[in-house]
Amino acid sequence: MLWQHDPNKPIGVWDEVSEDTRGLRVKGRVITETEAGREAMALVRAGAINGLSIGYRTKMTQRGTDGARIITEAELWEVSLVTFPMNEQATITDVKRLTCQADVARLLKSSGLPNRAAEKIASGGWPALRGDELTESETKNIAALLTRAASNLKG
């Protein structure tokens, strides 16, 4: 995942790349631990950026009946977040909002996790709860909530 087709500005990774009836479908993550990723995500969230564009190498073409060049095979190099996509239908359709510690804590609390446990997990992960006296039932409930939260993020 590049920013504006700049090979010096990788901003994330594509976890899924596939073709469907509408065309190319990609699903990925912007890496907000980088400066470029944080800036890109802020612009996407604000609605200033919502375009996608591909970088590719043409491998095979043919001519249409009207003389137009038709690309029949291409090698996909990259997919970029861009200001102005060549194809106006190439857009970001969904943005997950779970990108910082406060978002994680909010999700865990809204799933029913006690505030104290949610804050600890958000700040230090599951190991942050070590040493707390949790009952077996509490541990199972926390594990179920985390599993449910994780599956919501994948969907």
Side-chain angles (χ1 to χ4, degrees):
M1 181 186 302
L2 298 180
W3 180 244
Q4 308 284 354
H5 293 295
D6 185 343
N8 296 309
K9 293 256 176 125
I11 57 166
V13 294
W14 296 112
D15 297 316
E16 295 176 28
V17 179
S18 61
E19 253 186 287
D20 63 18
T21 56
R22 294 185 60 205
L24 184 65
R25 181 181 189 282
V26 293
K27 184 176 182 180
R29 295 171 282 129
V30 174
I31 307 300
T32 56
E33 286 83 0
T34 67
E35 185 177 336
R38 273 190 304 279
E39 290 175 7
M41 201 64 212
L43 292 167
V44 167
R45 281 203 181 103
I49 300 287
N50 76 341
L52 296 172
S53 182
I54 62 172
Y56 63 95
R57 181 176 67 90
T58 302
K59 293 181 87 173
M60 291 184 16
T61 64
Q62 59 184 333
R63 291 283 170 200
T65 56
D66 61 355
R69 179 175 153 233
I70 300 169
I71 299 171
T72 57
E73 188 178 342
E75 180 181 349
L76 182 65
W77 286 355
E78 55 90 11
V79 181
S80 285
L81 275 62
V82 296
T83 308
F84 303 111
M86 180 63 75
N87 179 340
E88 61 187 38
Q89 294 178 5
T91 59
I92 297 168
T93 58
D94 189 29
V95 178
K96 298 287 183 185
R97 301 290 183 194
L98 192 62
T99 60
C100 66
Q101 182 177 324
D103 291 342
V104 173
R106 220 175 355 266
L107 173 69
L108 294 171
K109 289 174 188 177
S110 71
S111 296
L113 199 60
N115 288 348
R116 175 186 56 78
E119 294 293 339
K120 280 189 166 188
I121 290 172
S123 66
W126 185 263
L129 283 177
R130 263 192 251 155
D132 281 7
E133 293 298 321
L134 297 174
T135 67
E136 185 177 338
S137 174
E138 287 174 318
T139 301
K140 284 181 182 177
N141 287 341
I142 290 169
L145 289 168
L146 292 173
T147 301
R148 198 165 53 240
S151 69
N152 288 339
L153 291 177
K154 291 177 186 172

Coordinates of all heavy atoms in Angstrom, one line a residue, residues 4-69:
Q4 N -0.1 7.9 -2.7 CA 0.0 8.6 -4.0 C 1.0 8.0 -5.0 O 1.7 8.8 -5.7 CB 0.3 10.1 -3.7 CG -0.5 10.8 -2.7 CD -1.9 11.1 -3.2 OE1 -2.2 11.0 -4.4 NE2 -2.8 11.6 -2.3
H5 N 1.1 6.7 -5.0 CA 2.0 6.0 -6.0 C 3.5 6.3 -5.7 O 4.4 6.0 -6.5 CB 1.7 6.3 -7.4 CG 0.4 5.8 -7.9 ND1 0.1 4.5 -8.0 CD2 -0.7 6.5 -8.4 CE1 -1.1 4.4 -8.5 NE2 -1.6 5.6 -8.7
D6 N 3.8 6.8 -4.5 CA 5.2 7.1 -4.2 C 5.9 5.9 -3.6 O 5.6 5.5 -2.5 CB 5.3 8.3 -3.2 CG 6.7 8.7 -2.9 OD1 7.7 8.0 -3.2 OD2 6.9 9.9 -2.4
P7 N 6.8 5.2 -4.3 CA 7.5 4.0 -3.7 C 8.3 4.3 -2.5 O 8.6 3.4 -1.7 CB 8.4 3.5 -4.9 CG 8.6 4.7 -5.7 CD 7.4 5.6 -5.6
N8 N 8.6 5.6 -2.2 CA 9.3 5.9 -1.0 C 8.3 6.2 0.2 O 8.7 6.5 1.3 CB 10.1 7.2 -1.2 CG 11.2 6.9 -2.2 OD1 12.0 6.0 -2.0 ND2 11.3 7.8 -3.2
K9 N 7.0 6.0 0.0 CA 6.0 6.2 1.0 C 5.1 5.0 1.2 O 3.8 5.1 0.9 CB 5.2 7.5 0.7 CG 5.9 8.8 0.7 CD 5.6 9.6 1.9 CE 6.4 10.8 2.0 NZ 5.7 12.0 2.1
P10 N 5.6 3.9 1.6 CA 4.7 2.8 1.9 C 3.9 3.2 3.2 O 4.5 3.7 4.1 CB 5.6 1.6 2.2 CG 6.9 2.2 2.5 CD 7.0 3.6 1.8
I11 N 2.6 3.0 3.2 CA 1.8 3.4 4.3 C 1.0 2.3 5.0 O 0.3 2.5 5.9 CB 0.8 4.6 4.0 CG1 -0.1 4.2 2.8 CG2 1.6 5.8 3.7 CD1 -1.3 5.1 2.6
G12 N 1.1 1.1 4.4 CA 0.3 0.0 4.9 C 0.6 -1.3 4.1 O 1.5 -1.4 3.3
V13 N -0.3 -2.3 4.4 CA -0.2 -3.6 3.7 C -1.6 -4.0 3.2 O -2.6 -3.6 3.9 CB 0.3 -4.6 4.6 CG1 1.8 -4.4 5.0 CG2 -0.5 -4.8 5.9
W14 N -1.7 -4.7 2.1 CA -2.9 -5.3 1.6 C -3.0 -6.7 2.1 O -2.1 -7.5 1.8 CB -3.0 -5.2 0.1 CG -3.0 -3.8 -0.4 CD1 -2.1 -3.1 -1.1 CD2 -4.1 -2.8 -0.2 NE1 -2.5 -1.8 -1.3 CE2 -3.7 -1.6 -0.8 CE3 -5.3 -2.9 0.5 CZ2 -4.5 -0.5 -0.8 CZ3 -6.1 -1.7 0.5 CH2 -5.7 -0.6 -0.1
D15 N -4.0 -7.0 2.9 CA -4.1 -8.3 3.5 C -4.9 -9.3 2.5 O -4.7 -10.5 2.6 CB -4.9 -8.3 4.8 CG -4.1 -7.5 5.8 OD1 -2.9 -7.7 6.0 OD2 -4.8 -6.7 6.5
E16 N -5.7 -8.7 1.7 CA -6.5 -9.5 0.7 C -6.6 -8.7 -0.6 O -6.8 -7.5 -0.6 CB -8.0 -9.7 1.2 CG -8.1 -10.5 2.4 CD -9.5 -10.6 2.9 OE1 -10.5 -10.5 2.1 OE2 -9.7 -10.7 4.1
V17 N -6.3 -9.4 -1.7 CA -6.4 -8.9 -3.1 C -7.2 -9.9 -3.9 O -6.7 -11.0 -4.0 CB -5.0 -8.6 -3.7 CG1 -5.2 -8.0 -5.1 CG2 -4.3 -7.6 -2.8
S18 N -8.3 -9.5 -4.5 CA -9.1 -10.5 -5.2 C -9.8 -9.7 -6.3 O -10.0 -8.5 -6.3 CB -10.0 -11.3 -4.4 OG -10.9 -10.4 -3.7
E19 N -10.4 -10.5 -7.3 CA -11.2 -9.9 -8.3 C -12.6 -10.4 -8.0 O -12.8 -11.6 -7.7 CB -10.8 -10.4 -9.7 CG -10.1 -9.4 -10.5 CD -9.8 -9.9 -11.9 OE1 -8.9 -10.7 -12.0 OE2 -10.5 -9.5 -12.8
D20 N -13.6 -9.5 -8.2 CA -15.0 -10.0 -8.1 C -15.7 -9.4 -9.3 O -15.1 -8.9 -10.3 CB -15.6 -9.5 -6.8 CG -15.7 -8.0 -6.6 OD1 -15.6 -7.3 -7.6 OD2 -15.9 -7.6 -5.4
T21 N -17.0 -9.4 -9.3 CA -17.8 -9.0 -10.5 C -17.7 -7.5 -10.8 O -17.9 -7.1 -11.9 CB -19.3 -9.3 -10.3 OG1 -19.8 -8.7 -9.1 CG2 -19.5 -10.8 -10.3
R22 N -17.3 -6.7 -9.8 CA -17.1 -5.3 -10.0 C -15.7 -4.9 -10.4 O -15.4 -3.8 -10.8 CB -17.5 -4.6 -8.7 CG -19.0 -4.7 -8.3 CD -19.3 -3.8 -7.1 NE -19.0 -2.4 -7.4 CZ -18.8 -1.6 -6.5 NH1 -18.8 -1.9 -5.2 NH2 -18.5 -0.3 -6.8
G23 N -14.7 -5.8 -10.1 CA -13.3 -5.5 -10.4 C -12.4 -6.0 -9.3 O -12.6 -6.9 -8.6
L24 N -11.3 -5.2 -9.2 CA -10.3 -5.5 -8.1 C -10.9 -5.1 -6.8 O -11.4 -4.0 -6.6 CB -9.0 -4.8 -8.4 CG -7.9 -5.1 -7.5 CD1 -7.4 -6.6 -7.7 CD2 -6.7 -4.2 -7.9
R25 N -10.7 -6.0 -5.8 CA -11.2 -5.7 -4.4 C -9.9 -5.9 -3.5 O -9.3 -6.9 -3.6 CB -12.3 -6.7 -4.0 CG -12.8 -6.5 -2.6 CD -13.9 -7.5 -2.3 NE -14.5 -7.2 -1.1 CZ -14.0 -7.4 0.2 NH1 -12.9 -8.0 0.3 NH2 -14.7 -7.1 1.2
V26 N -9.7 -4.9 -2.7 CA -8.5 -5.0 -1.8 C -9.0 -4.7 -0.4 O -9.9 -3.9 -0.2 CB -7.4 -4.0 -2.2 CG1 -6.7 -4.5 -3.5 CG2 -7.8 -2.6 -2.2
K27 N -8.3 -5.3 0.6 CA -8.6 -5.1 2.0 C -7.3 -5.0 2.7 O -6.5 -5.9 2.5 CB -9.5 -6.2 2.6 CG -9.9 -6.0 4.0 CD -10.8 -7.2 4.4 CE -11.3 -6.9 5.8 NZ -12.2 -8.0 6.2
G28 N -7.0 -3.9 3.4 CA -5.7 -3.8 4.0 C -5.8 -2.9 5.3 O -6.8 -2.5 5.8
R29 N -4.5 -2.7 5.7 CA -4.4 -1.9 7.0 C -3.3 -0.8 6.7 O -2.3 -1.0 6.2 CB -3.8 -2.8 8.1 CG -4.7 -3.9 8.5 CD -4.1 -4.9 9.5 NE -3.2 -5.8 8.7 CZ -1.9 -6.0 8.9 NH1 -1.3 -5.5 10.0 NH2 -1.2 -6.9 8.2
V30 N -3.7 0.4 7.1 CA -2.8 1.6 7.1 C -2.0 1.4 8.4 O -2.5 1.2 9.5 CB -3.5 2.9 7.1 CG1 -2.5 4.1 7.3 CG2 -4.3 3.0 5.8
I31 N -0.7 1.5 8.3 CA 0.2 1.4 9.5 C 0.4 2.8 10.1 O 1.1 3.6 9.6 CB 1.6 0.8 9.1 CG1 1.4 -0.5 8.3 CG2 2.5 0.6 10.3 CD1 0.7 -1.6 9.0
T32 N -0.4 3.0 11.2 CA -0.4 4.4 11.8 C 0.8 4.6 12.7 O 0.9 5.7 13.3 CB -1.7 4.6 12.5 OG1 -1.9 3.5 13.5 CG2 -2.9 4.6 11.5
E33 N 1.6 3.6 12.8 CA 2.9 3.8 13.6 C 3.9 4.6 12.8 O 4.9 5.0 13.4 CB 3.5 2.5 14.1 CG 2.7 1.8 15.2 CD 1.5 1.0 14.7 OE1 1.2 1.0 13.5 OE2 0.8 0.4 15.5
T34 N 3.6 4.8 11.5 CA 4.5 5.7 10.7 C 3.9 7.0 10.5 O 2.7 7.2 10.6 CB 4.8 5.0 9.3 OG1 3.5 5.1 8.6 CG2 5.3 3.6 9.4
E35 N 4.7 8.0 10.3 CA 4.2 9.4 10.1 C 3.3 9.5 8.9 O 2.2 10.0 9.0 CB 5.4 10.4 10.0 CG 4.9 11.8 9.9 CD 6.1 12.8 9.9 OE1 7.2 12.5 10.4 OE2 5.9 13.9 9.4
A36 N 3.8 8.9 7.8 CA 3.0 8.9 6.6 C 1.7 8.2 6.8 O 0.6 8.7 6.3 CB 3.8 8.3 5.4
G37 N 1.7 7.1 7.5 CA 0.4 6.3 7.7 C -0.5 7.1 8.6 O -1.7 7.1 8.3
R38 N 0.0 7.8 9.6 CA -0.9 8.6 10.5 C -1.6 9.7 9.7 O -2.8 10.0 9.8 CB -0.1 9.2 11.6 CG 0.0 8.4 12.9 CD 0.6 9.1 14.0 NE 1.9 9.7 13.8 CZ 3.0 9.1 13.8 NH1 3.1 7.8 14.1 NH2 4.2 9.7 13.5
E39 N -0.7 10.4 8.8 CA -1.3 11.5 8.0 C -2.3 11.0 7.0 O -3.4 11.6 6.9 CB -0.1 12.2 7.3 CG 0.8 13.0 8.2 CD 1.9 13.6 7.5 OE1 2.0 13.5 6.2 OE2 2.8 14.2 8.2
A40 N -2.0 9.9 6.4 CA -2.9 9.3 5.4 C -4.3 8.9 6.1 O -5.3 9.2 5.6 CB -2.3 8.1 4.7
M41 N -4.2 8.3 7.2 CA -5.4 7.8 7.9 C -6.2 9.0 8.4 O -7.5 9.0 8.3 CB -5.0 7.0 9.1 CG -6.1 6.1 9.6 SD -6.5 4.9 8.3 CE -8.2 4.7 8.7
A42 N -5.6 10.1 8.8 CA -6.3 11.3 9.2 C -7.1 11.9 8.0 O -8.2 12.3 8.2 CB -5.3 12.3 9.8
L43 N -6.4 11.9 6.9 CA -7.1 12.4 5.7 C -8.2 11.5 5.2 O -9.3 12.0 4.7 CB -6.0 12.6 4.5 CG -5.0 13.8 4.8 CD1 -3.9 13.7 3.8 CD2 -5.7 15.1 4.8
V44 N -8.0 10.2 5.3 CA -9.1 9.3 4.9 C -10.3 9.5 5.9 O -11.4 9.6 5.4 CB -8.6 7.8 5.0 CG1 -9.7 6.8 4.9 CG2 -7.6 7.6 3.8
R45 N -10.0 9.5 7.2 CA -11.1 9.7 8.1 C -11.9 11.0 7.9 O -13.1 11.1 8.1 CB -10.6 9.7 9.5 CG -10.3 8.3 10.0 CD -10.3 8.3 11.5 NE -10.0 6.9 11.9 CZ -8.9 6.5 12.4 NH1 -7.9 7.4 12.6 NH2 -8.7 5.3 12.7
A46 N -11.2 12.0 7.5 CA -11.8 13.3 7.3 C -12.5 13.4 6.0 O -13.3 14.4 5.8 CB -10.7 14.4 7.4
G47 N -12.3 12.4 5.2 CA -13.0 12.4 3.9 C -12.3 13.2 2.8 O -12.8 13.3 1.7
A48 N -11.1 13.6 3.1 CA -10.3 14.4 2.1 C -9.7 13.4 1.0 O -9.4 13.9 -0.1 CB -9.2 15.2 2.8
I49 N -9.4 12.2 1.4 CA -8.9 11.2 0.5 C -9.8 10.0 0.5 O -10.1 9.5 1.6 CB -7.5 10.7 1.0 CG1 -6.5 11.9 1.0 CG2 -7.0 9.6 0.1 CD1 -6.1 12.4 -0.4
N50 N -10.2 9.5 -0.6 CA -11.0 8.3 -0.7 C -10.8 7.5 -2.0 O -11.4 6.5 -2.2 CB -12.5 8.5 -0.5 CG -13.2 9.1 -1.7 OD1 -12.5 9.6 -2.6 ND2 -14.5 9.0 -1.8
G51 N -9.7 7.9 -2.7 CA -9.5 7.2 -4.0 C -8.4 6.1 -3.9 O -7.5 6.2 -3.0
L52 N -8.5 5.2 -4.8 CA -7.5 4.1 -4.9 C -7.1 4.1 -6.4 O -7.8 4.4 -7.3 CB -8.2 2.7 -4.6 CG -8.6 2.6 -3.2 CD1 -9.4 1.2 -3.0 CD2 -7.5 2.6 -2.2
S53 N -5.8 3.7 -6.6 CA -5.3 3.6 -7.9 C -4.2 2.5 -8.0 O -3.5 2.3 -7.0 CB -4.7 5.0 -8.3 OG -4.2 5.0 -9.6
I54 N -4.2 1.9 -9.1 CA -3.2 0.8 -9.2 C -2.0 1.2 -10.0 O -2.0 2.0 -10.9 CB -3.8 -0.5 -9.8 CG1 -4.3 -0.2 -11.2 CG2 -4.9 -1.0 -8.9 CD1 -4.8 -1.5 -12.0
G55 N -0.9 0.5 -9.6 CA 0.3 0.6 -10.4 C 0.6 -0.8 -11.0 O 0.5 -1.8 -10.3
Y56 N 0.8 -0.9 -12.3 CA 0.9 -2.2 -12.9 C 1.8 -2.1 -14.2 O 2.2 -1.1 -14.6 CB -0.5 -2.7 -13.3 CG -1.2 -1.8 -14.4 CD1 -1.1 -2.1 -15.7 CD2 -1.9 -0.7 -14.0 CE1 -1.6 -1.3 -16.7 CE2 -2.5 0.1 -15.0 CZ -2.3 -0.2 -16.3 OH -2.9 0.6 -17.3
R57 N 2.1 -3.3 -14.6 CA 2.9 -3.5 -15.9 C 2.0 -4.3 -16.8 O 1.5 -5.3 -16.5 CB 4.2 -4.2 -15.7 CG 5.0 -4.3 -16.9 CD 6.4 -5.0 -16.6 NE 6.3 -6.3 -16.2 CZ 6.3 -7.4 -17.0 NH1 6.5 -7.2 -18.3 NH2 6.3 -8.6 -16.5
T58 N 1.8 -3.7 -18.0 CA 1.0 -4.4 -19.0 C 1.8 -5.6 -19.6 O 3.0 -5.5 -19.9 CB 0.7 -3.5 -20.2 OG1 0.0 -2.3 -19.7 CG2 -0.2 -4.2 -21.3
K59 N 1.2 -6.8 -19.6 CA 1.8 -8.0 -20.1 C 1.3 -8.4 -21.5 O 2.0 -8.8 -22.4 CB 1.7 -9.1 -19.1 CG 2.4 -8.9 -17.8 CD 2.3 -10.0 -16.9 CE 3.4 -11.1 -17.2 NZ 3.4 -12.1 -16.2
M60 N 0.0 -8.2 -21.7 CA -0.6 -8.6 -23.0 C -1.8 -7.6 -23.3 O -2.5 -7.2 -22.4 CB -1.2 -10.0 -23.0 CG 0.0 -11.0 -23.0 SD -0.5 -12.8 -23.1 CE -2.1 -12.9 -23.6
T61 N -1.9 -7.3 -24.5 CA -3.0 -6.4 -25.0 C -3.6 -7.0 -26.3 O -3.0 -7.8 -26.9 CB -2.6 -5.0 -25.2 OG1 -1.6 -5.0 -26.3 CG2 -1.9 -4.4 -24.0
Q62 N -4.8 -6.4 -26.6 CA -5.4 -6.7 -27.9 C -6.1 -5.5 -28.3 O -6.3 -4.6 -27.5 CB -6.2 -8.0 -27.9 CG -7.4 -7.9 -26.9 CD -8.1 -9.3 -26.9 OE1 -8.2 -10.0 -27.9 NE2 -8.8 -9.6 -25.8
R63 N -6.5 -5.4 -29.6 CA -7.3 -4.3 -30.1 C -8.8 -4.6 -30.1 O -9.2 -5.7 -30.6 CB -6.8 -3.8 -31.5 CG -5.5 -3.2 -31.5 CD -5.5 -1.8 -31.0 NE -4.1 -1.3 -30.8 CZ -3.8 -0.3 -30.1 NH1 -4.7 0.4 -29.5 NH2 -2.6 0.1 -30.0
G64 N -9.6 -3.7 -29.6 CA -11.0 -3.8 -29.7 C -11.5 -3.5 -31.1 O -10.7 -3.0 -31.9
T65 N -12.8 -3.8 -31.3 CA -13.3 -3.5 -32.7 C -13.3 -2.0 -33.0 O -13.2 -1.7 -34.2 CB -14.8 -4.0 -32.8 OG1 -15.5 -3.4 -31.7 CG2 -14.9 -5.5 -32.6
D66 N -13.3 -1.2 -32.0 CA -13.2 0.3 -32.3 C -11.7 0.8 -32.3 O -11.5 2.0 -32.4 CB -13.9 1.0 -31.2 CG -13.4 0.8 -29.8 OD1 -12.5 0.0 -29.6 OD2 -13.9 1.5 -28.9
G67 N -10.8 -0.2 -32.2 CA -9.3 0.2 -32.3 C -8.7 0.5 -30.9 O -7.5 0.7 -30.8
A68 N -9.6 0.5 -29.9 CA -9.0 0.8 -28.5 C -8.2 -0.4 -28.1 O -8.4 -1.5 -28.4 CB -10.2 1.0 -27.6
R69 N -7.1 0.0 -27.3 CA -6.2 -1.0 -26.7 C -6.9 -1.6 -25.5 O -7.3 -0.9 -24.6 CB -4.9 -0.3 -26.4 CG -3.9 -1.2 -25.7 CD -2.6 -0.5 -25.5 NE -1.9 -1.0 -24.4 CZ -1.5 -0.4 -23.3 NH1 -1.6 0.9 -23.2 NH2 -0.9 -1.0 -22.3

